Structures are given as structure tokens and as C-alpha cells.
Amino acid sequence: MEYRIGLDLGSTAIKAVIVEGSEILWTGAVPTAPDQEALASDLIERGRGELGLPSGWSYMLASTGYGKSLFRKADLKLDELSANARGLFRLSGGEARSLINIGGQDLKTIRLSENGEVTDFRMNDKCAAGTGRFFELAARLLNVPLSGFAELSREPGEEVELNSTCVVFAESEIVSLLARGVPPQSVVRALHASVARRAAGLLGRVGAEAVWLDGGPAQNRGLVEAVEDELLTEVKVTPLPQYTVAYGAAVSLG
Ligand code: ADP
């Protein structure tokens, strides 16, 4: 049996999925660092080992993400937008029409036809304020892991807003809120609302219908709920939102 591997060489994390048929057998990720080809090869080797497959296993591999060309042994190289649309459309059972992807360093919105084709998209990669990097910065300032943001955001505390549209100013805004004694949960809620506003703004231009959110930050339920509040509609998330792009690459192998 030939396996299919989707490799998403993202700005922040390298993600791999190993697929058999259309079923995801394994997923794994490592932080992006120099020598991405070696990192990706080690990641795939880890997957093979964890699945108990022999070293001579055979597979087809598709790479995507901003570093897709750095993995020279790929059978297919696919742009991120197509991979994202394909992966999410399949994983949503053909339901998704609007997609918000929040990556480490960019924010994208994609509009899909009823056949899953990309009919429109918008991207903001000029500003880090609506991206995963913004969350990482806030996590450091607050000294709270990203995995704790959703729970923290549900704790009572005063309502504040983050008004800066630039991540550098937002950083000083967070520092001064904390210095003023504003509790971390209020800052996290304000952060979710600010990213949600950006995502909704970008989506507004492609249309909000059957909305799904993916990318690493979609693991944060607090953010998902903030996007719902902003759009006044349900926002769905796949069980492994950081891997939809890699999955889309894998299933593009035919
Ligand atoms: P890229 O494809 O650009 O490398 P990803 O889609 O992999 O980006 O997302 C990376 C971002 O995901 C990180 O910057 C971080 O903000 C966020 N992230 C990673 N793990 C978690 C988590 N457990 N909860 C919330 N956010 C997370």
C-alpha cells in the first residue's frame, strides 16, 4: 500500500500528515528553523517509526507552505491556498464556503464554491497583529501558555479593549494594561476580540457563509468564540485545525 504524505512548511511550524486512502493516520509538527529539509525528513521518519512501518516504506509526498520548494524530494509542490481550500473542503464534508486561516505570520480568508473551488481570497501578511505571532508575543508578556488562553478568557474580570492596529504598539498597550493592574483574562479577551475583528474585516470582503476557522490559533476555543461574536454566526473548526493545509496537499496527490 502506498501512503500519501502532506508536508506544510509554514512560517512558524513544519507540519506533516500521513494519509492512507483519505484517512489521517498520523500528524506531527516541529518549529520552523534553518535546514527545513532535514527537519521535515526527521519529522516524516518519526511518523514512520510511530506507525511501526518498515524503513523501506513507499509513499508519495506533496509539499506546500511558504517553504514548499525547500523540500526538493517532493512529488508535487502545491500553493498554500489550494492546499488549504482542498483540505478544509474535504474535512468539512463539503460544507465549508468561507474559510479563515490564521497562520504564524499571516491571515487569509478564502471563499469556496459548492465544488470546493477557490472563488475569492484575501491575505494580510504585512501586519503581525492578526496572526499567531501576536498570540505568541502575548503569551510571553502574560507568562501564560497558548493552550491556557481559552480557559483564562472565561474568568470574570473587567472589559478592556486593545486599540492598536500594529503589533509593536499593541505590545506596549498590553504592557501598560498589565502595569495598570488589569487582570490577564481581560487582556486575553481583548486580544481575542482584536484578532477576531481583523479576521472578520478580511472575511467581510469575501463573504461570511458556512464559516470555518483553521491554522494553529484555531485550537484556541476562546478565539473561535470571539470570531463567532464578531460575525454573529457559527464558526466551525476541524479536530486538527493546524493540519488542514498539510492534509490538502496529501489528498492532492490523486
Ligand atoms: P504557519 O503555517 O504559518 O507556520 P500555523 O498554522 O502552524 O502557522 O500556526 C502557528 C501558530 O499557532 C503559532 O504562532 C501559535 O500562535 C499558534 N498555536 C500553536 N499551538 C497552539 C495552541 N495549542 N493553542 C493556540 N494556538 C496555538
Side-chain angles (χ1 to χ4, degrees):
M1 158 55 79
E2 189 156 86
Y3 296 93
R4 292 187 286 178
I5 297 178
L7 189 60
D8 175 11
L9 297 128
S11 64
T12 305
I14 299 175
K15 281 83 62 183
V17 299
I18 301 177
V19 171
E20 188 179 25
S22 57
E23 189 197 344
I24 298 176
L25 297 184
W26 182 87
T27 60
V30 285
T32 301
D35 204 354
Q36 297 193 29
E37 192 159 40
L39 284 173
S41 298
D42 289 351
L43 181 63
I44 293 163
E45 187 52 21
R46 194 175 97 203
R48 179 195 70 75
E50 286 177 14
L51 287 172
L53 298 170
S55 54
W57 69 315
S58 91
Y59 59 79
M60 298 274 283
L61 184 146
S63 67
T64 186
Y66 98 104
K68 60 181 175 295
S69 301
L70 299 172
F71 197 83
R72 284 162 294 178
K73 292 168 279 179
D75 299 292
L76 174 73
K77 292 185 173 86
L78 193 71
D79 71 274
E80 215 174 324
L81 216 60
S82 307
N84 199 348
R86 216 163 281 174
L88 189 87
F89 191 71
R90 288 248 195 146
L91 292 168
S92 72
E95 212 189 86
R97 294 291 176 275
S98 312
L99 159 59
I100 302 169
N101 175 284
I102 305 183
Q105 293 186 22
D106 61 16
L107 170 65
K108 297 186 207 74
T109 54
I110 304 176
R111 177 90 184 145
L112 300 169
S113 72
E114 58 189 26
N115 304 317
E117 285 141 18
V118 176
T119 55
D120 198 3
F121 77 94
R122 296 284 183 276
M123 175 148 112
N124 186 347
D125 59 359
K126 306 265 179 315
C127 169
T131 69
R133 179 184 273 193
F134 190 20
F135 280 108
E136 288 178 28
L137 176 92
R140 277 197 296 276
L141 292 173
L142 293 162
N143 201 18
V144 173
L146 283 171
S147 55
F149 271 35
E151 203 183 326
L152 185 60
S153 71
R154 294 196 181 98
E155 285 180 21
E158 64 181 287
E159 294 306 317
V160 291
E161 272 202 30
L162 276 180
N163 297 308
S164 304
T165 50
C166 166
V167 73
V168 180
F169 296 121
E171 179 176 9
S172 12
E173 216 182 335
I174 292 175
V175 170
S176 51
L177 285 172
L178 293 173
R180 171 145 85 70
V182 171
Q185 59 269 33
S186 304
V187 174
V188 168
R189 267 200 299 279
L191 176 73
H192 290 166
S194 125
V195 174
R197 269 198 306 278
R198 284 184 168 265
L202 204 62
L203 184 67
R205 300 193 226 146
V206 299
E209 181 201 345
V211 184
W212 290 66
L213 182 67
D214 71 5
Q219 294 169 88
N220 173 355
R221 275 309 304 171
L223 173 66
V224 179
E225 286 158 18
V227 177
E228 290 184 323
D229 289 347
E230 189 64 35
L231 292 173
L232 299 174
T233 186
E234 186 186 5
V235 172
K236 293 189 180 174
V237 181
T238 66
L240 295 167
Q242 201 171 7
Y243 293 93
T244 47
V245 179
Y247 179 73
V251 297
S252 297
L253 283 160

